[in-house]
Amino acid sequence: MTDIIYWNGSFVSEREARIEPADRGFTLGDGVFDTMLAIDGEPVWGPEHSERLKAHAKILKIAFTLDIEATATVLLEKNSFKKGRYAIRTTVTRGPGERGLAPPETQHPTIIMRASPAPEAGKTVSAAIARSVRRNEHSPLSRIKSLNYGDNLLALLEAKERGADEAIMLNTAGNVCCASASNIFIKERGKFFTPPLEDGLLNGISRAKFMAEHKAAEESISEERLRAADAVKLTNSILGTRQVSGFKA
Amino acid sequence: MTDIIYWNGSFVSEREARIEPADRGFTLGDGVFDTMLAIDGEPVWGPEHSERLKAHAKILKIAFTLDIEATATVLLEKNSFKKGRYAIRTTVTRGPGERGLAPPETQHPTIIMRASPAPEAGKTVSAAIARSVRRNEHSPLSRIKSLNYGDNLLALLEAKERGADEAIMLNTAGNVCCASASNIFIKERGKFFTPPLEDGLLNGISRAKFMAEHKAAEESISEERLRAADAVKLTNSILGTRQVSGFKA
């Protein structure tokens, strides 16, 4: 069975959907996305994901209309994904454009939503602190889920080469930022700390939930402090809260 | 007439070509590109573009086989683009992948080549120094033409809002880096200077040609020095050498 995806207003089999070669999401990373968990056919934290995706698109001045929760619910139904945990990825781009960086005057955003079985949540992982690349806290993109995931990908490739499951990224000032696809928390004498958004990290929805639940405080965190922490946790809507078992040299 | 494009080994009309929704170039910016000028059916600086695209793909560990010059020549023929200046854009991505950041074990790269009429070269432009975003010299991506053009796009959007034609970008250290789609040179008492690659800029092919022709020297350049320069030039393979007429406040 071919999976059904949502594609610019229709539900179609994935092989029928087509991204144009001139789509600026493909050519320039000109778009944003969201990854939302669904359990037993129901989106989790739907309103938060919906609001955030719109806010992130606004940073790139992309306007679009989509009821994420309702669309995700129909998508799951159409795929008969009734029981279990699924990851719903929504991608919104500025749509096709002529060559060059300047956006077209009239925008026809591309909207894609796919559902995939979610990987196991709450795993324990080993980590490596990425040396080949740092996150750019001097860019608004460091605080949104844009299609520009190249830096995080380089960090993850390096971590895998060094034998670790995950990469911890520092920002250009050398402070701890996040993992390649998670926010980060450290525990010191029973209290949790996480870096502030200004340090160049995504305003993760599970980060906000974890902060509220554990009364975590925002503070810039040095690499030394990370290594000395009593515990290190990574939060991600799909992967849940992962514990870091240790750091690769 | 629909334009003909090169798509994974075939020449097809553009509307027949299809990027899969799961292509990592589309979902994550996991790919690189090159933009090469062609004049009267002949690629310009073909070997340099070919070598650079392969080197840039290697940074992301993407391997592919393509004779850029020969393919571009056929592409121009098939489109009857016999006379005049055309821009040839080649995009190479890691190809489709499952959800998540980790690359698939077996890669099937996507390769697209399109030809478009080139805009007028050698224009004079006004510039604005971007305040909303800086380039990340702490990332290898700052030195390659990856699909992650979001930072440059934000800079250009800001410049246009401020009434300028182009954006000049600083790096995170505050030094002059490049324009949104060009390298930069300043002229002082008859001598040209350009920032070194380590400052976070693309190894532009027209930059290398301009350096050789004008015996330009590499030096980090402060914003003050940029503003005080006798002349400021922007180099780009397609747009040629553009003169900056002045800076918007």
Side-chain angles (χ1 to χ4, degrees), chain A residues 17-18 27 89 134 139 151, chain B residues 17-18 27 89 136 139 151:
Chain A
R18 170 182 179 268
T27 58
R89 171 167 167 144
R134 290 189 175 190
S139 167
D151 283 345
Chain B
R18 169 182 179 269
T27 57
R89 172 169 166 143
N136 181 10
S139 167
D151 283 346

Side-chain angles (χ1 to χ4, degrees), chain A residues 5 14-15 17-30 35 59-61 87 89 91 93-94 99 101-103 112 114 116 119 132-136 138-141 147-154 156-157 161 172 180 238, chain B residues 5 14-15 17-30 35 59-61 87 89 91 93-94 99 101-103 112 114 116 119 132-136 138-141 147-154 156-157 161 172 180 238:
Chain A
I5 73 169
E14 181 153 353
R15 64 183 168 194
R18 170 182 179 268
I19 306 299
E20 292 186 33
D23 194 290
R24 290 172 57 95
F26 178 75
T27 58
L28 295 164
D30 189 3
T35 318
I59 300 281
L60 286 173
K61 302 192 198 306
R89 171 167 167 144
T91 306
T93 81
R94 200 181 307 274
R99 72 161 296 286
L101 193 55
I112 294 272
R114 297 172 85 217
S116 324
S132 59
V133 58
R134 290 189 175 190
R135 265 179 85 88
N136 181 10
H138 300 280
S139 167
L141 297 187
L147 299 177
N148 300 261
Y149 255 63
D151 283 345
N152 290 36
L153 173 62
L154 287 180
L156 183 62
L157 291 175
E161 273 190 4
T172 72
S180 76
I238 307 298
Chain B
I5 73 169
E14 182 153 355
R15 62 183 170 196
R18 169 182 179 269
I19 306 299
E20 292 186 35
D23 194 290
R24 290 172 57 96
F26 178 75
T27 57
L28 296 165
D30 190 2
T35 318
I59 300 282
L60 286 173
K61 301 190 198 309
R89 172 169 166 143
T91 306
T93 81
R94 200 182 307 274
R99 73 160 295 287
L101 192 55
I112 293 273
R114 297 172 84 217
S116 325
S132 59
V133 58
R134 291 188 174 191
R135 265 179 86 87
N136 181 10
H138 300 280
S139 167
L141 298 187
L147 299 178
N148 300 261
Y149 255 63
D151 283 346
N152 291 35
L153 174 62
L154 286 179
L156 183 62
L157 291 175
E161 272 190 3
T172 71
S180 76
I238 307 298

Side-chain angles (χ1 to χ4, degrees), chain B residues 74-93:
Chain B
V74 175
L75 181 68
L76 290 163
E77 274 172 20
K78 289 198 180 277
N79 281 288
S80 303
F81 291 163
K82 285 169 196 161
K83 286 282 157 196
R85 300 171 66 260
Y86 288 89
I88 311 281
R89 172 169 166 143
T90 311
T91 306
V92 179
T93 81

